[in-house]
Amino acid sequence: MLRSVEQRRVPGSQADPRMRELSAAVSRLRRQLAAHPAEFRDRSIADEELAALAALADTEDPDISRLRRSLLLIAGAIGSVSALGQGVRELREAVDLFGRSPRG
């Protein structure tokens, strides 16, 4: 279940629930992509960006701009593969838990 953007760490817990949600969404999409039999031109981009998101999910305070950039690259790389659409949507929802990217 997705949690509110405002939800923070629960005292005594180890991880921010948003980070757990992001990590789970990344893991699911990585498994789905690995199991997908068809090769497509931008598959390596999706793999690289999912690895980058997995690394960000292990940090305490991820760069929201970087999260969103990776999401856009992944969506662009595999967005047309309908079998992976649900995984991309779940990943977007997990990234959305972090709120909007600060404008510079």
Side-chain angles (χ1 to χ4, degrees), residues 78-91:
I78 63 176
S80 64
V81 180
S82 61
L84 301 173
Q86 180 64 32
V88 173
R89 277 188 296 280
E90 291 171 359
L91 181 61

Side-chain angles (χ1 to χ4, degrees), residues 7-74:
Q7 188 172 2
R8 301 286 184 229
R9 287 187 192 158
V10 176
S13 76
Q14 303 288 9
D16 181 335
R18 300 172 302 164
M19 300 304 280
R20 286 194 308 266
E21 193 70 36
L22 176 62
S23 182
V26 168
S27 293
R28 280 190 302 268
L29 187 53
R30 286 178 100 176
R31 284 191 308 272
Q32 291 169 0
L33 182 59
H36 190 66
E39 285 299 318
F40 47 93
R41 194 173 76 213
D42 294 332
R43 188 178 192 130
S44 63
I45 293 170
D47 283 328
E48 290 170 12
E49 291 304 317
L50 284 166
L53 280 177
L56 286 170
D58 285 338
T59 64
E60 276 193 37
D61 189 26
D63 178 357
I64 297 170
S65 297
R66 181 67 175 109
L67 290 175
R68 293 204 169 278
R69 178 182 177 277
S70 289
L71 174 62
L72 286 172
L73 288 169
I74 291 165

